[in-house]
Every structure is written in structure tokens, then in C-alpha cells.
């Protein structure tokens, strides 16, 4: 009996120690990466707002026709300097300055910061406040920390794997809508860059729900995370457009995948939902 009691005590001690270790690992994401992400978005907000609706803002066009401003370059340059000064073992993949392997999750044991310095540059350049800085920390193929800061909206969202999702420090959760016919969804719209087949799929989804809007960008996914809408669809995106979004939606109780149901930010198409209507949404988009 004494041996059994001793063995049980040792097993409990090991179990408790393992539990603390696991919890410590989960909690460690915020402890490890939070100060860096906070520092980047705080200075990034200042840079962005310095140029937003300012006469000195200059809009150039990249080879693909997309807009780029001093703020895009300035925020990413600042972020890379902060990463270098942080002492963290982090690579960087960014929209403006690139990085290694933008087509798949990093296979390196090193974590990396994925950054979109100004997501929604077209809106930013036109004085529309729905733009933001997007930051995601990828480690061993998973996004473990994510932050979105929208300074013109006065709003910041963040999540760390296993710790829930937050808007301005308050915990958020997806909606409870369980029927597609009662849902409100946002999409990137049916513009000329999409072919006739893709436009038909998006219209089919819009016709199946109670309300639909064309918005696109990070904000629609944050609206899913906080329960304001029930699903959001991006049709053509790069990994820096999406890096923190899926984590924030998932930590709020939702689901984010590509059209095949795979959790990835590397396939271009990206669907977020409250999880309850996810399969129905994917079914209409296939």
C-alpha cells in the first residue's frame, strides 16, 4: 500500500509538473513575444497616423499595380529594426521587404515574424480609416501570436495560442448564429480581377444569407472574431495579409481555413466563420 501510495504521489507530481510546463509554454507566447508586438504597433500607429490624410503622403505603384506609401515602408523598416534589437531568434517576412519562402510555412526551427505594415493601403491612401498593421509570429508551421492594430479606428485585436482573443484588452467571442439563412457575411466583392466562375460562387453565397456586404481586408475577419458578423471571405491574399487573422478568429471560438477546409495562410483564399456555418459556406464556394 505504501509503495502504491508513493507511486501515485510520484505520478501526480510528474503530472502536475507536466501540466505546469504545458501551461507555461502556452502562457510563454505572450510573455515572449508580447513586448515586441506591442512595441511595433505602438510606433507603427504613430508612423501611419503621421501620413494618414496628410498632404505629404506620396502614393506610388508597384509592378502589380498595388499602392505603396511612405508609411508602408516606414513601418516595416521600423519593425525589422525592433526585431533585430529584441534579441529574439526571429526571421522576418514582410510585404515591402520580402523574406525567405513566402509560399509555405517556414520549415526552419526559428520562429518568424510575418508583417503587413499597412493592410488596406488603397483605403489608407484615400483617407478611409479601415487600414491596419498586421503581425503574426509563426513557429513550427503554426501562428502562435497575432496582433492587428487599426489606429484610425482606435482599435487593437490580439491573441496568443491557448489564451483567447481580445479587442482593446477585452475578451471577444464569435457569434452563435447556426443557420446560413440567418447569417451576415462580408466578402472581397465581385470585382473585375475575379473570373466569371469565381464571381458566380461569391454571388451564390451572398444570395444564401440574410445580409451580405463587400468589404475585404483584415477588418471583416476581426468582425467575425468579435461576433459582429458570421463569416468573411478573402479570395486572393498573401500570407502577410492573413498571418494574425486565423489565430484571432480561432481563439475567439471560430474557424479559419482555405476553401478545402485546410488551416493555412498560404493558399490565397481564406474563409473565417463562427465555426457553426463554416461547412455550409465552403460548400457554396467550391
Amino acid at each position: 500500500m505504501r509503495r502504491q501510495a508513493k507511486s501515485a504521489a510520484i505520478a501526480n507530481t510528474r503530472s502536475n509538473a507536466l501540466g505546469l510546463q504545458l501551461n507555461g509554454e502556452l502562457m510563454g507566447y505572450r510573455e515572449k513575444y508580447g513586448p515586441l508586438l506591442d512595441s511595433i504597433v505602438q510606433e507603427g500607429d504613430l508612423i501611419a497616423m503621421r501620413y494618414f490624410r496628410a498632404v505629404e503622403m506620396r502614393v506610388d505603384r508597384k509592378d502589380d499595380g498595388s499602392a505603396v506609401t511612405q508609411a508602408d515602408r516606414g513601418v516595416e523598416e521600423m519593425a525589422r529594426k525592433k526585431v533585430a534589437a529584441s534579441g529574439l531568434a526571429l526571421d522576418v517576412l514582410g510585404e515591402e521587404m520580402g523574406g525567405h519562402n513566402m509560399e509555405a510555412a517556414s520549415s526552419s526551427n526559428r520562429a518568424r515574424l510575418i508583417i503587413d505594415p499597412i493592410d488596406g493601403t488603397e483605403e489608407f491612401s484615400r483617407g478611409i480609416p479601415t487600414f491596419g498593421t498586421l503581425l503574426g509570429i509563426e513557429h513550427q508551421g503554426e501562428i502562435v501570436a497575432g496582433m492587428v492594430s487599426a489606429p484610425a479606428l482606435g482599435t487593437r485585436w490580439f491573441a496568443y495560442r491557448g489564451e483567447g482573443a481580445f479587442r482593446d484588452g477585452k475578451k471577444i467571442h464569435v457569434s452563435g448564429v447556426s443557420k446560413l439563412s440567418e447569417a451576415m457575411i462580408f466578402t472581397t466583392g465581385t470585382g473585375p480581377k475575379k473570373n466569371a466562375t469565381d464571381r458566380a460562387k461569391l454571388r451564390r453565397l451572398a444570395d444564401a444569407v440574410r445580409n451580405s456586404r463587400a468589404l475585404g481586408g483584415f477588418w471583416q475577419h476581426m468582425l467575425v472574431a468579435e461576433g459582429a458578423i458570421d463569416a468573411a471571405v478573402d479570395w486572393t491574399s498573401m500570407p502577410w495579409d492573413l498571418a494574425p487573422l486565423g489565430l484571432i478568429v480561432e481563439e475567439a471560438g471560430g474557424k479559419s481555413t482555405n476553401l478545402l477546409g485546410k488551416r493555412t495562410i498560404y493558399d490565397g483564399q481564406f474563409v473565417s466563420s463562427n465555426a457553426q456555418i463554416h461547412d455550409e459556406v465552403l460548400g457554396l464556394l467550391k
Side-chain angles (χ1 to χ4, degrees):
M1 291 295 292
R2 287 181 179 177
R3 287 184 180 179
Q4 290 178 349
K6 186 176 181 179
S7 297
I10 292 173
N12 286 336
T13 299
R14 288 176 177 171
S15 178
N16 289 338
L18 181 59
L20 288 172
Q21 182 179 356
L22 289 172
N23 289 336
E25 184 179 348
L26 291 171
M27 292 298 289
Y29 292 133
R30 183 168 187 174
E31 182 180 356
K32 185 173 185 178
Y33 298 118
L36 174 63
L37 300 188
D38 287 337
S39 177
I40 291 173
V41 296
Q42 285 170 10
E43 188 167 342
D45 287 354
L46 295 176
I47 294 172
M49 295 308 292
R50 184 186 312 155
Y51 291 104
F52 183 56
R53 295 176 178 169
V55 294
E56 62 266 33
M57 182 174 66
R58 185 182 68 253
V59 181
D60 299 320
R61 293 286 167 182
K62 303 178 190 178
D63 292 341
D64 63 1
S66 61
V68 61
T69 71
Q70 305 102 306
D72 295 81
R73 300 186 182 98
V75 172
E76 185 165 330
E77 289 172 359
M78 172 273 298
R80 288 175 179 269
K81 289 178 181 177
K82 286 186 178 293
V83 169
S86 71
L88 294 169
L90 274 178
D91 295 326
V92 181
L93 171 64
E95 178 176 11
E96 304 309 329
M97 300 170 67
H100 178 69
N101 193 5
M102 64 181 67
E103 297 179 354
S106 175
S107 58
S108 169
N109 286 328
R110 283 172 61 92
R112 67 174 172 180
L113 172 71
I114 304 176
I115 176 172
D116 189 340
I118 302 288
D119 184 63
T121 302
E122 287 289 348
E123 292 89 332
F124 177 79
S125 67
R126 293 170 179 264
I128 301 169
T130 53
F131 64 88
T133 296
L134 277 54
L135 306 172
I137 300 288
E138 182 184 66
H139 180 57
Q140 296 180 341
E142 285 283 333
I143 302 296
V144 299
M147 187 169 289
V148 174
S149 186
L153 298 176
T155 308
R156 189 173 296 168
W157 300 264
F158 65 86
Y160 296 88
R161 181 66 67 187
E163 297 184 41
F166 298 82
R167 170 182 170 169
D168 299 332
K170 296 182 179 180
K171 202 164 188 178
I172 55 177
H173 200 277
V174 295
S175 75
V177 173
S178 60
K179 295 181 180 179
L180 194 60
S181 60
E182 297 177 358
M184 183 172 193
I185 61 103
F186 282 13
T187 75
T188 51
T190 56
K193 290 185 178 180
K194 298 178 181 66
N195 61 39
T197 300
D198 292 342
R199 290 197 297 269
K201 292 176 181 178
L202 289 166
R203 288 174 180 145
R204 186 165 64 230
L205 174 62
D207 288 343
V209 302
R210 182 175 181 179
N211 287 293
S212 66
R213 301 286 189 276
L215 179 67
F218 75 90
W219 195 27
Q220 61 173 345
H221 299 282
M222 296 302 92
L223 292 174
V224 171
E226 61 188 55
I229 65 173
D230 310 303
V233 180
D234 264 306
W235 207 252
T236 307
S237 299
M238 298 298 290
W240 46 75
D241 297 317
L242 307 172
L245 308 184
L247 173 63
I248 295 173
V249 170
E250 288 177 357
E251 288 294 318
K255 192 172 184 178
S256 293
T257 71
N258 65 6
L259 295 185
L260 299 177
K262 180 182 178 182
R263 293 171 63 253
T264 179
I265 61 173
Y266 295 98
D267 285 352
Q269 296 162 335
F270 192 74
V271 179
S272 290
S273 78
N274 66 359
Q276 297 192 53
I277 62 171
H278 201 83
D279 290 344
E280 286 186 90
V281 171
L282 294 186
L284 288 169
L285 293 174
K286 289 179 181 178

